[in-house]
Amino acid sequence: MIEPARIYRQGVDIIPPHPGSGWTRFVCISDTHSRTFHVPTGDVLLHAGDLSSWGSLSQLIITVEWLKSLNHPVKIMVAGNHDLCLDEKWAQPIYGLPPEEVQQARTYVRSQTAAGLHYIEHEPFRFVLPSGRRWKVYGSPAAPLYAQGSFQYETANEARVIYNRIPEDTDILITHTPPFRTLDRTSKGKHAGCHVLSNKLAELRNCRLHVFGHIHECAGAQINTGDPFRLVDRVSVNAAMAVTKKAIVVDLLN
């Protein structure tokens, strides 16, 4: 029996050659905070947010130009709670960023498709690989409120409005926050993931890969199996690189 998913941690596991046209290789990263790293090659690069360190356009540009330079055919990114210049809320006078900087940043990330780099924000994205495999992706930058930041929500009702937008046929989900009790334990032992997102994931019966970050100290990956109501097993990846400085590679059988 061929397992439907294989996980490799850069720097820990030996990453074998690409397994062939019957597979898609996803390279998962997050929380790079304006730093650049060596990452493995693959079919699809997924960045789960905190592109910048403290949210300025100049810091964002460092990350985007680095991502553009990578040779993955498809590259998809979402924002995170540090990416202030991408959150339209931060253009309001009470938040303090110049409105023109926010508009410039949002225009900038949306203009990178020619380089194969796609920014998604509470929206779906679909692509087709040369193998003919079609993948349905959904990305959200949202996270529960924690200090000052971007794309944050305070109540369960706000979270439900955000996550109820995820289509039921999503194959690949990218969120900045982890779900509750999935690779979300902080250094103080608290589970900091989102309850509402966990409940939504239970409804996504076709979701094969969920990539997130946010909780730096709990980077890693696991395969969620044994749910009789799911059509497929799901790989969960906390791809935060701030501590590990290493990507996580996931091969999915087409």
Side-chain angles (χ1 to χ4, degrees):
M1 180 178 178
I2 300 176
E3 69 275 32
R6 300 168 180 170
I7 301 170
Y8 307 101
R9 294 174 295 167
Q10 184 186 7
V12 176
D13 303 313
I14 296 174
I15 301 175
H18 192 292
S21 60
W23 295 75
T24 301
R25 172 160 288 182
F26 295 89
V27 180
C28 308
I29 63 176
S30 186
D31 297 82
T32 53
H33 294 286
S34 305
R35 300 177 65 187
T36 62
F37 302 90
H38 169 72
V39 297
T41 59
D43 301 305
V44 185
L45 181 76
L46 304 176
H47 194 306
D50 279 358
L51 305 160
S52 60
S53 50
W54 296 107
S56 71
L57 175 58
S58 61
Q59 294 166 345
L60 176 67
I61 288 173
I62 292 171
T63 298
V64 171
E65 293 302 312
W66 166 57
L67 295 176
K68 286 169 59 178
S69 74
L70 301 178
N71 61 2
H72 306 75
V74 179
K75 293 167 281 193
I76 304 169
M77 58 182 175
V78 303
N81 61 296
H82 276 249
D83 299 319
L84 309 182
C85 65
L86 290 174
D87 188 348
E88 290 179 303
K89 177 185 73 176
W90 278 79
Q92 300 173 32
I94 61 171
Y95 291 99
L97 278 186
E100 59 273 16
E101 180 175 354
V102 174
Q103 183 57 52
Q104 186 177 352
R106 292 179 61 80
T107 300
Y108 170 66
V109 294
R110 293 287 190 183
S111 66
Q112 306 302 328
T113 55
L117 179 58
H118 308 273
Y119 173 76
I120 55 177
E121 183 182 304
H122 303 300
E123 63 191 306
F125 175 75
R126 299 187 179 197
F127 64 92
V128 183
L129 292 173
S131 65
R133 179 56 159 101
R134 297 176 180 269
W135 291 102
K136 303 171 185 177
V137 184
Y138 188 90
S140 170
L145 180 66
Y146 175 75
Q148 279 199 328
S150 49
F151 301 105
Q152 297 187 107
Y153 49 87
E154 297 187 53
T155 68
N157 284 338
E158 289 179 282
R160 278 189 282 271
V161 170
I162 290 168
Y163 297 123
N164 282 344
R165 297 169 64 179
I166 303 172
E168 291 185 3
D169 62 351
T170 296
D171 298 312
I172 311 296
L173 179 64
I174 312 170
T175 62
H176 186 57
T177 186
F180 184 64
R181 287 190 173 272
T182 301
L183 300 169
D184 71 333
R185 188 186 293 272
T186 70
S187 58
K188 296 181 180 179
K190 176 184 177 182
H191 288 286
C194 177
H195 291 268
V196 175
L197 179 57
S198 293
N199 293 337
K200 182 62 182 181
L201 278 161
E203 301 173 6
L204 301 179
R205 301 180 65 199
N206 295 293
C207 182
R208 295 184 61 190
L209 175 61
H210 179 204
V211 182
F212 47 89
H214 194 41
I215 308 302
H216 299 173
E217 57 268 46
C218 207
Q222 64 186 45
I223 300 178
N224 305 90
T225 61
D227 185 341
F229 298 102
R230 289 188 54 78
L231 299 178
V232 294
D233 292 335
R234 182 176 65 247
V235 180
S236 298
V237 179
N238 181 334
M241 298 184 76
V243 175
T244 68
K245 302 178 176 60
K246 303 297 183 182
I248 294 177
V249 174
V250 178
D251 290 338
L252 292 184
L253 187 65
N254 287 344

